[in-house]
Amino acid sequence: MCDLSALPPLSEDQYLLNTPRVRSFVAEVRACVKRAASPAEACAQIGPLFEALLADPGWLPTAFQTDAPDSGMGGGIGQWLIFRAADRSLSLFSLVVPPGAMTPVHDHLAWGLVGIYRGNQDEEFYRPGAGRLEPVRRRPLAPGDFYTLLPPRDDVHRVRTTSPETSVSIHLLANDTGCVWRHTYDDATGEARPFRSGYVNAECLEA
Ligand SMILES: [Fe+2]
């Protein structure tokens, strides 16, 4: 569980949405990562690029904003891969959460940015402890709002749709998030369980 080496490299970068907008965003993100001395610095540099992507109304096709009744997240939640790096060090995906649905409390095991594209969500961060799950903060989010994930401090959260319409959030993470074995956390006991969400539109392609 959680063994990143279990995921072999892909033969090449994968663009499930292969457009100039996505390619230029990924190229700019990679330039930031190369320049940055730390994950926090990378997130700070990527922030304005991410903000511009969230504000751009035309780049994400309807298919990537559609719920998925049989997904690994449950509740009709769709996780649509947009891009992932061949070495699995970077992924970009949309998370589609129907009204009233929420993800399990989960971790990511990588730094990243999460922002709202459509609808409204609550971000809820937790600190797992012995026998419990301690709420750290909860904040309503509207389109254009985004936040950073910086493990180990800010890695465990839950996404909940609060709008009457489906919410769509964009996630940029420094791993192949849908394919790594990570964890969900029991609401009552804080107990961690192995978890792999998968993607609606891509396989994990293990060895
Ligand atoms: Fe998440």
Side-chain angles (χ1 to χ4, degrees):
M1 153 174 127
C2 303
D3 180 5
L4 297 181
S5 67
L7 286 174
L10 305 168
S11 57
E12 57 183 357
D13 290 345
Q14 284 190 327
Y15 288 88
L16 283 291
L17 180 55
N18 191 1
T19 63
R21 184 71 177 93
V22 171
R23 282 188 170 270
S24 67
F25 175 76
V26 169
E28 289 178 296
V29 164
R30 282 176 153 161
C32 290
V33 172
K34 208 169 176 179
R35 276 197 306 269
S38 66
E41 206 177 302
C43 287
Q45 288 187 22
I46 294 166
L49 305 171
F50 198 60
E51 202 164 17
L53 192 70
L54 295 174
D56 185 342
W59 66 275
L60 190 66
T62 308
F64 290 77
Q65 303 185 46
T66 305
D67 57 3
D70 302 317
S71 78
M73 278 279 191
I77 296 170
Q79 185 169 346
W80 295 89
L81 184 63
I82 296 168
F83 158 84
R84 63 180 162 184
D87 65 0
R88 318 261 191 165
S89 67
L90 193 64
S91 63
L92 180 67
F93 59 89
S94 61
L95 189 74
V96 181
V97 183
M102 60 184 175
T103 66
V105 177
H106 61 272
D107 59 17
H108 310 82
L109 308 177
W111 63 265
L113 296 92
V114 180
I116 311 301
Y117 195 61
R118 297 262 188 278
N120 293 81
Q121 292 180 355
D122 270 2
E123 65 155 344
E124 299 170 10
F125 274 89
Y126 295 88
R127 188 178 301 120
R132 65 188 292 254
L133 199 58
E134 181 190 345
V136 176
R137 67 174 185 270
R138 180 173 180 169
R139 190 165 68 113
L141 297 168
D145 292 340
F146 68 95
Y147 55 97
T148 57
L149 301 168
L150 286 167
R153 193 174 56 101
D154 287 332
D155 193 35
V156 177
H157 79 165
R158 182 207 298 278
V159 172
R160 181 197 300 269
T161 292
T162 56
S163 50
E165 74 270 26
T166 291
S167 72
V168 179
S169 50
I170 306 299
H171 300 237
L172 176 73
L173 271 297
N175 65 1
D176 188 355
T177 311
C179 290
V180 296
W181 278 101
R182 42 196 176 117
H183 309 92
T184 57
Y185 295 86
D186 186 275
D187 283 49
T189 66
E191 185 195 348
R193 296 197 187 95
F195 169 61
R196 183 161 73 169
S197 57
Y199 299 106
V200 181
N201 58 338
E203 299 295 328
C204 286
L205 302 172
E206 291 174 90

